[in-house]
Amino acid sequence: MNVEVTIEPSFTRFAKMLQGPGKKLLFSAAANAVSVAARRHLLSEASRRHSSSQRLGARPSRHLEKGANKISFRADENHGEVLLPIPGISRAFGNVAIFAKRARALTIPVNKVSYARRAGELKSLGWTLFRPKGKDVLMGTKPGEDKAVALYILKKRVTQRQDRTLLPSDSTIGDTATKAYVMEIERIMRKAKRNGN
Amino acid sequence: MRPEDIIKIKELLPTSLGTDEIRERYASDILRRSIFSAKMEEAHYLAKVREVCARLAAGEINEADARKTLLDLLGRMGHSPLDEGGIKNPASIRRLNLILDTQRQMAASVARASEQTESTLHQFPAWELTRTEGRDMPRGDWLERWKRAGESVGFEGVATKTLGEMIALKNSPIWAALGSGAGGYRDTLGNPYPPFAFGSGMGWLDVERAKCVSIGLINDDEEIEIEEAPSLSPAEADILQAVERYGFQDLMKDLGVNV
């Protein structure tokens, strides 16, 4: 998932006076600033989003926090991009439908033991997993115990609703980019003055 | 450079040494360049660790998938998470999480450091060390570590007017001091970037120029010292010429900026 940073309408006339390298430099400055803003925002949001783990009494996966630390950016002569290699982040921009890719069904954890864990990992830990006939649930027994507990609900498809608050608002992104353009222009003007250009 | 690119260029370092021994025997820069996993000498396992960490950094897989992949390979090598040995067991979940977390954090930090140019340093001249990932049992001594690392470098480039905030210029020697365990800390990795200690959830946040000026870390017309090019780059010259043609005041007016 990438967030694209493009020219603001108020900047278009100036941008037409630039060659490619100049545009790339400005887009880079803007994309960097937006990536910093996105990171701060996501870290702030992530600390409030542990409802699934809390409901199960499980340790949070912290995947949004960890994902925030992977945010980076790039730019070319046409636009800047903020790169968000975070599974699930695309629901900031719309509903996301998830289907099982290789397995026959998605495994939705319903127990703190299975939260943020693949069924195969539990098997490695000695759990015995089984699916009761006719049921869309994966049960398991812990090593050394007889009682089986429900570990996962099996589903063909899950839809995650859009959540735009995962990322900064469009106006924040726009303002951040504009501020970055200005700072970069001012930096270059100062450098030119220092160097006698 | 993206975090997954950093991981892909890392060398493999099979070794039978423990982590403390690795640190003492090898220079920090070799450690940084390598995917190290204490006491694992199987190069093909380390190659799989590198592949999995790169895919994790790229967001192609999540941590559960990463652990599953490594557990499958370790199982074929005769290791099980049910074996004894605690964190010394190559297949222990705690050890796998530590390896994945450490590699992920290191790659992200190096990628972020590689993004530092004249332009990015002008906008964000400093880092703040703050909690970026929660922990069940966070260390409570980061302010003390900061103080000791600061003392070891005479607080060069370190903000001293902020209460409780750990902020320093990106080129401050405090970062290397922190990573080296200044003050006698032995749980560090020897890197001048996060994570500054094993299992730490403390990371970097960029600090805006305006804040750096307001806390006295930098003057308004000061630039962070990196090897600044003596003349404008073609891209910078392009922008300067366009500004001169357009008119700076007119440009700021069009952008809605008060100057």
Side-chain angles (χ1 to χ4, degrees), chain A residues 17 19 39 59 118 187, chain B residues 65 136 204 236 238 245:
Chain A
M17 294 184 178
Q19 307 291 326
R39 188 156 175 263
R59 174 181 292 164
R118 289 283 178 247
R187 177 189 74 80
Chain B
D65 294 326
D136 294 340
W204 276 338
E236 289 169 335
D238 181 17
R245 288 201 304 276

Side-chain angles (χ1 to χ4, degrees), chain A residues 10-11 13-14 17-23 25-26 29-30 32-33 36 39-40 43 59 62 65-66 68-74 83 85 87 116-118 120-121 124-126 178-180 182-192 194-195 197, chain B residues 2 56-59 62-65 67-68 71 81-82 93 101 104 108 112 115 118-120 122-124 128 132-136 204-206 208-209 220-221 223 228-232 235-236 238-240 242-243 245-246 248 251-252 254-255 257:
Chain A
S10 56
F11 206 51
R13 195 159 69 93
F14 174 72
M17 294 184 178
L18 291 171
Q19 307 291 326
K23 280 193 228 175
L25 189 57
L26 285 182
N32 174 46
V36 170
R39 188 156 175 263
R40 276 194 178 266
L43 285 171
R59 174 181 292 164
R62 307 193 196 281
E65 293 162 33
K66 294 174 182 178
N69 285 321
K70 292 189 284 189
I71 293 175
S72 62
F73 70 94
R74 63 185 175 203
L83 310 178
R117 274 184 161 151
R118 289 283 178 247
E121 182 177 338
S124 299
L125 289 168
T178 298
K179 188 176 164 190
V182 172
M183 284 191 74
E184 183 63 358
I185 290 166
E186 288 179 332
R187 177 189 74 80
I188 291 167
M189 290 174 68
R190 283 189 201 174
K191 181 177 177 182
R194 276 198 307 275
N195 297 342
N197 292 114
Chain B
R2 296 166 298 178
L56 187 62
N62 60 28
E63 291 196 351
D65 294 326
R67 277 198 308 272
K68 170 74 169 54
L71 280 171
L82 299 176
I93 301 300
D101 274 348
R104 172 183 55 77
R112 192 158 295 118
E115 291 170 346
E118 289 179 48
S119 172
T120 55
H122 176 78
Q123 287 193 67
F124 303 100
E128 178 183 2
T132 54
E133 295 179 21
R135 290 291 183 266
D136 294 340
W204 276 338
L205 287 182
D206 294 79
E208 287 188 348
R209 185 176 191 82
D220 186 47
D221 59 354
E223 300 293 345
E228 184 179 270
S231 57
L232 296 179
E236 289 169 335
D238 181 17
I239 290 172
L240 184 68
V243 169
R245 288 201 304 276
Y246 197 100
F248 180 73
L251 178 60
M252 294 300 113
D254 284 351
L255 289 173
V257 176

Side-chain angles (χ1 to χ4, degrees), chain B residues 80-124:
Chain B
S80 164
L82 299 176
D83 293 341
E84 291 182 358
I87 203 166
K88 293 184 180 176
N89 170 11
S92 88
I93 301 300
R94 193 171 150 222
R95 181 189 176 107
L96 289 176
N97 283 337
L98 184 61
I99 291 169
L100 293 172
D101 274 348
T102 304
Q103 293 299 325
R104 172 183 55 77
Q105 288 170 293
M106 285 170 61
S109 294
V110 172
R112 192 158 295 118
S114 74
E115 291 170 346
Q116 302 312 307
T117 61
E118 289 179 48
S119 172
T120 55
L121 286 170
H122 176 78
Q123 287 193 67
F124 303 100

